[in-house]
Amino acid sequence: MSEAILLVGGRGTRLRPLTTSTPKPLLRVAGVPFLAHQLARAAEAGVTRVVFATSYLAECFEAEFGTGDAFGLDLVYVTETEPLGTGGAIRNAARHLTCGGDEPVLVFNGDILSGLDVAGLRDGHAASGADVSLHLTRVPDPRAFGLVPTDPEGRVLGFLEKPTSDAEIVTDQVNAGCYVFTRTVIDRIPDGRPVSVERETFPALLAEGAHLRGVLDDSYWLDLGTPAAFVRGSADLVQGLVHSPALPGSPGQALVLASAHVDPLAVLTAGTTVCEGAVVEAGAIVEGSVVLPGSRVEADAVVHRSVVGRHAVVGTGSTLHDVVVGDSAYIGPHNEIPSGVRLACGTALAAQALRTSAPVQV
Ligand code: GDD
Ligand code: MG
């Protein structure tokens, strides 16, 4: 018996408009809802029961995963009427744990793709006698994360969430969003009000001398919170750079789901996924991108490191680089969408409405 709490209540604002009607953890990554990868990996690590801490678009999670039979997991859903923050969500979800006070409880952020040895983190926690174990990873620019300096033995010395001044950048080790709590430590988080585990709980535990154990791990790690990371994570899974038992196929250049139609004269590369019911026409080139269910990439279009939303259309000869196309958006023929653009759901662009370079010669 091994239990986990999954934090999935965030609004996914950095991924709008994709998260307007689908919560971030359920967006299709390598052809399946992202959480399918996390749940399959948790099951592989011996987790048997997972409590979902939901808030934003809460009803979607149970509709997708039900009781968890497909993963051999027992899934339980808890909803916060008002978001309780990460710490408040952990405390609230813990009511539904069945384990004893001395048992280790895994806690996962719901947007992390990683190659971490989850069983090793949990089993090492029990052996170390720590109050909390934190998975840490190194990143080139730590400012968007929680900084976690440690001593040479791995004991956590501080926790600085999203530092704003250069003086606070004391390490490149960051909180990787997976913890093991000894159950009684969760029960001490204040109940019934918003609490940030990063800004309140961890600093308070350190101040009272608790043993926080940092486990630095250099396996694959990515927070899928931004469009660029989302498409990269999907492409990396498709290409086998990180293992997932939930990948619907073998690793390769592209993943085409059943009922998608890709013309033999289209080119799919760099870990592209074409989801159910989507169509890619002749001469189109789709690189490192996610083509969501029911969408259409028309002839000779070029889609590079982009997401094409559900039932959206990329018109003949249009080009997209690092673009997010919202659900049901329509891009007429021969548009050039500039890098970084996000088209709102349902937007319609006439033929040649957007050009970023000289007009095509005819
Ligand atoms: N239930 C619930 N309620 N879940 C929440 C809430 C809430 O009020 N707020 C956030 N979450 C969930 C999100 O859905 C996500 O799975 C997780 O908590 C973390 O929230 P993010 O919004 O993704 O946070 P972040 O990426 O900016 O920062 C966090 O992750 C970093 C690693 O990727 C922090 O934990 C950082 O310290 C860490 O470095
Ligand atoms: Mg995140």
Side-chain angles (χ1 to χ4, degrees), residues 209-359:
H211 179 188
L212 270 58
R213 166 182 167 256
V215 178
L216 186 61
D217 176 275
D218 62 4
S219 59
Y220 182 98
W221 185 85
L222 191 64
D223 174 325
L224 300 189
T226 63
F230 171 76
V231 290
R232 196 178 127 206
S234 184
D236 286 351
L237 274 161
V238 170
Q239 295 177 103
L241 299 185
V242 53
H243 161 73
S244 166
L247 184 70
S250 311
Q253 280 292 305
L255 176 66
V256 178
L257 295 198
S259 85
H261 178 75
V262 177
D263 188 282
L265 296 177
V267 177
L268 308 180
T269 61
T272 286
T273 299
V274 183
C275 292
E276 313 86 281
V279 174
V280 182
E281 295 182 357
I285 299 173
V286 189
E287 292 181 357
S289 295
V290 180
V291 179
L292 289 171
S295 57
R296 193 167 83 242
V297 178
E298 293 183 346
D300 302 322
V302 175
V303 177
H304 182 225
R305 285 199 313 238
S306 297
V307 187
V308 181
R310 288 169 182 262
H311 304 288
V313 175
V314 179
T316 302
S318 284
T319 61
L320 276 61
H321 294 276
D322 302 302
V323 167
V324 177
V325 181
D327 294 347
S328 304
Y330 173 82
I331 299 174
H334 304 295
N335 278 287
E336 287 180 24
I337 313 294
S339 175
V341 163
R342 299 177 190 208
L343 291 173
C345 301
T347 307
L349 279 184
Q352 302 192 30
L354 270 180
R355 308 302 305 264
T356 51
S357 57

Side-chain angles (χ1 to χ4, degrees), residues 6-11 14 24-25 53-55 80 82-86 89 108-112 144-147 159 161-162 174-177 179 197-198 221 223 225:
L6 191 50
L7 298 174
V8 290
R11 302 186 67 85
R14 289 169 295 168
K24 171 167 67 172
T54 73
S55 175
E80 297 146 36
E82 290 300 320
L84 288 171
T86 46
F108 298 103
N109 283 359
D111 60 350
I112 303 296
F145 302 101
L147 272 59
F159 199 108
E161 182 68 9
K162 316 239 166 72
V174 301
N175 169 22
Y179 323 114
V197 78
E198 299 89 352
W221 185 85
D223 174 325

Side-chain angles (χ1 to χ4, degrees), residues 183-203:
R183 164 79 192 264
T184 47
V185 179
I186 298 180
D187 294 337
R188 280 157 46 204
I189 297 173
D191 195 9
R193 69 164 172 87
V195 178
S196 161
V197 78
E198 299 89 352
R199 295 180 193 278
E200 184 175 341
T201 309
F202 291 142

